[in-house]
Amino acid sequence: MGILDGKRILVAGVTMDSSIGFATARVAQEQGATVLISNFGRALNITKRIAKRLPVEPAVLELDVTDEAHLAALPDAVREHVDGLDGVVHSIAYGNPATLLGGNFMEGPWPDVAQALQVSAYSLKALAQACKPLMGPGGSIVGLTFDATVAWPAYDWMGVAKAGLESCSRYLARDLGPDGIRCNLVAAGPLKTLAAKAIPGFEDLESAWKDRAPLGWDESDHTPTAKAVVALLSDFFPATSGEIVHVDGGFHAMGM
């Protein structure tokens, strides 16, 4: 018996098997869920290949969360495989590393900033709205953030986008709560992912975690973060919404 037995879960934004989304899909399957995953464009073929590495090969949907046609078609695409959703995972973010990261905050051009905000923050609302017809009381939406309460070295406009994501999650908790749908985020410490490789100076964050996280931190281990996401998807947090759960070895609670 797993804590997601009988649950139908969509994990949106799975590209590589080194991603948090992939780890979440794996743990969700291990806990009894029927899982669907999504991606779009040139990355879709990569997703279809790595889907075979999960315990059970899931259906792979094409979904660009910035494309209104894709969002409108999502409920019917999901219903081709399952009759509804109990949980949705938002594992989606993008910011042009050449213009928005690595010390480029003051020079970040608005078109690139706008794209980062749409893909990394607004898309949580867009995905929730698209999936709402498939969900009922007890449903759970979980997104992934990187603590946006402080300014990090090199993270720049992605930090602003994550702050928007965190605020968006709280407003979704407010507006979806009357329908019995929860919305929460998991704030992970720095993990080795495809996205992290694109951040100049990311190694400095990794070294800081190793020095200050009281539980220690393994940037190559995605499982603790995936387990937290799965816990929030389960029925074990029925009265928790608008929350940010830190999975960072305790780093966020430490001072100097």
Side-chain angles (χ1 to χ4, degrees), residues 53 56 59 132 137 153-154 168 173 188 201 222 235:
R53 302 174 190 173
V56 177
K132 188 172 179 287
C168 182
H222 297 63
D235 296 331

Side-chain angles (χ1 to χ4, degrees), residues 3-255:
I3 63 172
L4 294 186
D5 277 351
K7 300 286 190 186
R8 303 151 300 175
I9 306 296
L10 170 64
V11 183
V14 178
T15 301
M16 305 294 293
D17 56 1
S18 59
S19 69
I20 301 172
F22 182 90
T24 298
R26 173 179 56 78
V27 174
Q29 286 187 342
E30 292 169 352
Q31 290 299 318
T34 298
V35 173
L36 313 178
I37 63 176
S38 75
N39 213 323
F40 74 100
R42 289 180 297 177
L44 185 63
N45 287 331
I46 299 174
T47 300
K48 289 178 178 178
R49 289 198 298 272
I50 66 103
K52 302 177 188 298
R53 302 174 190 173
L54 287 164
V56 177
E57 184 177 350
V60 180
L61 309 182
E62 183 170 17
L63 175 62
D64 176 355
V65 290
T66 69
D67 187 318
E68 292 295 333
H70 281 208
L71 292 165
L74 181 59
D76 287 340
V78 168
R79 290 189 185 105
E80 291 181 11
H81 305 281
V82 292
D83 58 359
L85 290 174
D86 301 289
V88 178
V89 179
H90 179 277
S91 182
I92 300 166
Y94 177 75
N96 187 338
T99 60
L100 302 183
L101 300 165
N104 290 319
F105 183 80
M106 298 299 291
E107 288 76 35
W110 170 243
D112 289 358
V113 171
Q115 181 188 39
L117 293 175
Q118 181 181 16
V119 175
S120 307
Y122 180 82
S123 66
L124 179 65
K125 192 283 300 188
L127 182 62
Q129 189 171 25
C131 292
K132 188 172 179 287
L134 300 163
M135 304 180 76
S140 176
I141 298 169
V142 184
L144 294 161
T145 189
F146 187 73
D147 187 0
T149 60
V150 298
W152 296 104
Y155 207 46
D156 297 331
W157 281 104
M158 278 307 300
V160 176
K162 289 298 187 183
L165 177 75
E166 293 177 7
S167 182
C168 182
S169 178
R170 290 188 286 269
Y171 280 96
L172 284 171
R174 181 195 69 180
D175 287 2
L176 297 178
D179 297 305
I181 299 172
R182 296 167 282 134
C183 187
N184 295 286
L185 299 178
V186 171
L191 290 166
K192 288 189 180 299
T193 63
L194 184 65
K197 289 179 181 178
I199 302 174
F202 188 78
E203 298 81 5
D204 294 337
L205 292 177
E206 291 177 343
S207 62
W209 248 259
K210 290 178 180 178
D211 292 338
R212 289 180 52 193
L215 290 176
W217 186 249
D218 182 352
E219 66 271 10
S220 64
D221 186 2
H222 297 63
T223 299
T225 303
K227 286 182 174 180
V229 174
V230 166
L232 287 168
L233 291 170
S234 79
D235 296 331
F236 279 83
F237 286 88
T240 298
S241 197
E243 185 60 86
I244 301 175
V245 177
H246 289 81
V247 182
D248 63 355
F251 181 99
H252 73 283
M254 298 297 106

